[in-house]
Amino acid sequence: MESLTELVQFMQPSQRLDLKKIALTHVLVNIFMFHLTLNADSISEIILFLVGLTGTEEGKCAILSVDDLLTALFHLTADESIALAKDAVLALINLTADESGAIKVYNTSREMQPVTMHSLLHIQLVHNFVLLQAYNLIAAAISHIINENSNLADPWSMVLSNLTREESIAYGTLDILDENPAFMTQLIKAFTKLQYNKNKAKLDYLGPIFCNLTQTHRGRELLCRSKGNLLDKILPFSTYEESIIRRGGVIGILKNICFDSLYHEIILREPDDILNVILYPLCGPEEFTDEENELLPMELQYLPDTKTREDDPGLRKVLLECLLQLCATRKSREHLRSKGVYEILREYHKWEQQEGRHKDCLLACENVVDILIKKEEEISVDNYKTIEVSKDMKEMFIQEDEEYLKDPL
């Protein structure tokens, strides 16, 4: 272990990248050559050292530059020591936190050949000792998440959440889900059944994972048109107070679906269950006239005095952006008006001005209201998205929004 301690000086931010790579290679050799002879504390110290490196940009760059070191981490995620495996997964969380790292880790796992002592030590061996067979990173993550006895379900869900932010990896994940239909069924069950994991994993990051998948057309199809009504099972968690991660993931799913006009009919279907999911977090305890209440969906009428609005301004803005996308066509606009959306936003705007006090949310609200208060004769187009906007007009709109946001409340 003294030799490992001496290597630390070559991994400082000021050191050249080539020296860091050499030092990391020596760490890698120690992991594999002495894994069977070092005690658990020594191995743990090595891995903790690597986890610490992944907490800095310089350390991440150094580790990501050594493919065999990534392979070693993949190997250690399956170690019989839960503590050691967890530290390896924690390192993967940090390494996949940004785009370049996620792509590098994913591609390395896909292209990985079995690791041998020869490849590590660059010497001729009598026996080509295989340390790890080909590794399916996505399948490994899913397997832990759906295993109700896994001690690593939460950290693996964070790894998969990081990975699937990249569209290409989201497609790769969907390929695996297509090949193994039971995976998706189990993922939905793990998300919707609280206390699914017997080791108290919360699995909140399944929300962002599903959201990431719906950035693709295939992901939206999977949730919106599946026989198992997957979208309906997920949506109740849009108001899950215990976790903004889970709640935000579900609201993000709504945004991705609303931005695709192919699904507007599903969102605005009777009996307004999905529209209610969008509107409910924007509603407060305000009273409406009897005439106005008749417009509102049943679930949004006569809400109690204790009703509060979504606390997070970022999520409020996303919900308002959902409504703006639904204003694209005349049919959808007329539907929104008939459901009292203008009346709800009128009261919301008052609250945002006085209590919420976020200009981004106010602007998003006004963008929707400006459309809904107009008569269709004034709008004179069926679908806003068919209008070609010149570059100059786009720049003007952006400038106007920026000026609006600069003004104090």
Side-chain angles (χ1 to χ4, degrees), residues 68 83 135 148 194 233 314 396:
D68 282 342
Y135 186 75
E148 59 185 15
L194 296 178
K233 294 176 180 178
M396 184 187 74

Side-chain angles (χ1 to χ4, degrees), residues 211-404:
C211 176
N212 294 340
L213 295 181
T214 58
Q215 69 182 304
T216 71
H217 175 70
R218 281 174 59 194
R220 294 189 290 273
E221 282 287 297
L222 179 62
L223 285 187
C224 293
R225 302 191 194 277
S226 62
K227 294 181 180 179
N229 296 320
L230 302 184
L231 183 62
D232 292 339
K233 294 176 180 178
I234 291 172
L235 289 182
F237 291 93
S238 63
T239 55
Y240 187 71
E241 295 182 359
E242 285 76 5
S243 171
I244 191 173
I245 300 297
R246 180 181 288 248
R247 190 168 79 246
V250 175
I251 292 174
I253 291 170
L254 284 170
K255 177 181 178 180
N256 288 340
I257 294 172
C258 285
F259 269 70
D260 190 336
S261 56
L262 288 175
Y263 304 100
H264 285 189
E265 285 192 12
I266 293 176
I267 296 167
L268 298 176
R269 70 190 180 192
E270 297 290 350
D272 301 312
D273 49 343
I274 299 181
L275 181 59
N276 290 342
V277 171
I278 298 173
L279 293 174
Y280 184 81
L282 301 174
C283 291
E286 295 84 8
E287 294 184 3
F288 293 95
T289 66
D290 290 341
E291 185 180 65
E292 290 171 338
N293 265 315
E294 288 180 4
L295 290 174
L296 305 182
M298 185 66 69
E299 290 79 0
L300 304 182
Q301 295 178 14
Y302 304 105
L303 295 175
D305 294 339
T306 55
K307 174 66 175 72
T308 59
R309 290 182 167 89
E310 167 59 52
D311 183 61
D312 185 80
L315 296 185
R316 296 200 301 271
K317 182 185 176 189
V318 170
L319 291 164
L320 292 163
E321 290 172 344
C322 289
L323 292 173
L324 182 63
Q325 292 303 313
L326 294 175
C327 287
T329 64
R330 176 171 184 158
K331 180 180 179 181
S332 297
R333 293 190 294 268
E334 290 176 340
H335 184 83
L336 294 177
R337 293 188 190 104
S338 72
K339 297 299 178 178
V341 173
Y342 166 75
E343 286 73 16
I344 289 173
L345 294 186
R346 180 193 67 203
E347 299 305 314
Y348 167 81
H349 190 271
K350 294 176 185 177
W351 175 87
E352 191 69 65
Q353 279 186 316
Q354 298 170 8
E355 298 185 41
R357 300 187 64 79
H358 279 269
K359 292 297 291 288
D360 284 342
C361 295
L362 281 172
L363 178 60
C365 178
E366 291 171 12
N367 286 339
V368 180
V369 170
D370 285 347
I371 294 174
L372 294 181
I373 61 174
K374 291 180 181 177
K375 295 180 179 180
E376 287 302 321
E377 292 73 19
E378 297 178 76
I379 295 175
S380 72
V381 294
D382 179 69
N383 190 337
Y384 272 118
K385 293 189 176 183
T386 62
I387 300 175
E388 292 187 12
V389 182
S390 68
K391 181 180 179 181
D392 290 341
M393 289 293 289
K394 289 180 181 178
E395 291 176 352
M396 184 187 74
F397 292 145
I398 292 172
Q399 186 175 355
E400 288 178 352
D401 288 349
E402 290 175 349
E403 291 298 323
Y404 176 92

Side-chain angles (χ1 to χ4, degrees), residues 19-264:
L19 293 178
K20 292 178 188 175
K21 290 175 67 173
I22 292 172
L24 284 170
T25 301
H26 280 287
V27 171
L28 179 65
V29 170
N30 273 273
I31 291 173
F32 280 102
M33 281 192 67
F34 304 115
H35 193 181
L36 299 178
T37 58
L38 287 175
N39 60 43
D41 289 340
S42 298
I43 291 291
S44 179
E45 186 175 341
I46 296 173
I47 302 306
L48 283 174
F49 173 66
L50 291 177
V51 174
L53 281 180
T54 64
T56 67
E57 287 303 315
E58 295 86 356
K60 284 196 291 186
C61 288
I63 292 175
L64 290 168
S65 67
V66 183
D67 286 358
D68 282 342
L69 190 52
L70 290 177
T71 301
L73 285 174
F74 297 150
H75 174 74
L76 290 167
T77 62
D79 196 271
E80 62 183 16
S81 165
I82 293 175
L84 193 58
K86 182 177 181 180
D87 286 336
V89 180
L90 292 178
L92 291 180
I93 293 173
N94 290 341
L95 291 171
T96 57
D98 55 39
E99 178 181 356
S100 59
I103 292 174
K104 174 64 177 178
V105 169
Y106 177 68
N107 287 340
T108 301
S109 72
R110 293 184 68 201
E111 300 166 1
M112 192 176 71
Q113 298 297 318
V115 182
T116 65
M117 291 300 291
H118 177 270
S119 68
L120 292 178
L121 303 179
H122 310 291
I123 60 174
Q124 185 66 41
L125 296 177
V126 176
H127 300 289
N128 202 30
F129 175 57
V130 177
L131 292 174
L132 184 67
Q133 297 298 327
Y135 186 75
N136 191 322
L137 179 63
I138 303 299
I142 293 174
S143 296
H144 273 278
I145 294 169
I146 65 177
N147 181 356
E148 59 185 15
N149 294 306
S150 174
N151 290 285
L152 303 177
D154 268 344
W156 268 117
S157 68
M158 295 174 72
V159 172
L160 190 56
S161 175
N162 285 347
L163 290 170
T164 52
R165 286 202 301 256
E166 302 308 314
E167 188 174 355
S168 61
I169 304 178
Y171 276 113
T173 303
L174 288 165
D175 288 340
I176 290 175
L177 294 176
D178 286 344
E179 294 166 6
N180 305 273
F183 274 177
M184 191 62 183
T185 302
Q186 284 299 111
L187 287 172
I188 294 292
K189 182 179 179 181
F191 183 71
T192 57
K193 182 182 177 182
L194 296 178
Q195 300 178 343
Y196 171 87
N197 184 279
K198 294 178 180 179
N199 289 302
K200 299 182 179 180
K202 296 183 177 180
L203 302 178
D204 292 328
Y205 277 87
L206 273 171
I209 291 170
F210 295 143
C211 176
N212 294 340
L213 295 181
T214 58
Q215 69 182 304
T216 71
H217 175 70
R218 281 174 59 194
R220 294 189 290 273
E221 282 287 297
L222 179 62
L223 285 187
C224 293
R225 302 191 194 277
S226 62
K227 294 181 180 179
N229 296 320
L230 302 184
L231 183 62
D232 292 339
K233 294 176 180 178
I234 291 172
L235 289 182
F237 291 93
S238 63
T239 55
Y240 187 71
E241 295 182 359
E242 285 76 5
S243 171
I244 191 173
I245 300 297
R246 180 181 288 248
R247 190 168 79 246
V250 175
I251 292 174
I253 291 170
L254 284 170
K255 177 181 178 180
N256 288 340
I257 294 172
C258 285
F259 269 70
D260 190 336
S261 56
L262 288 175
Y263 304 100
H264 285 189

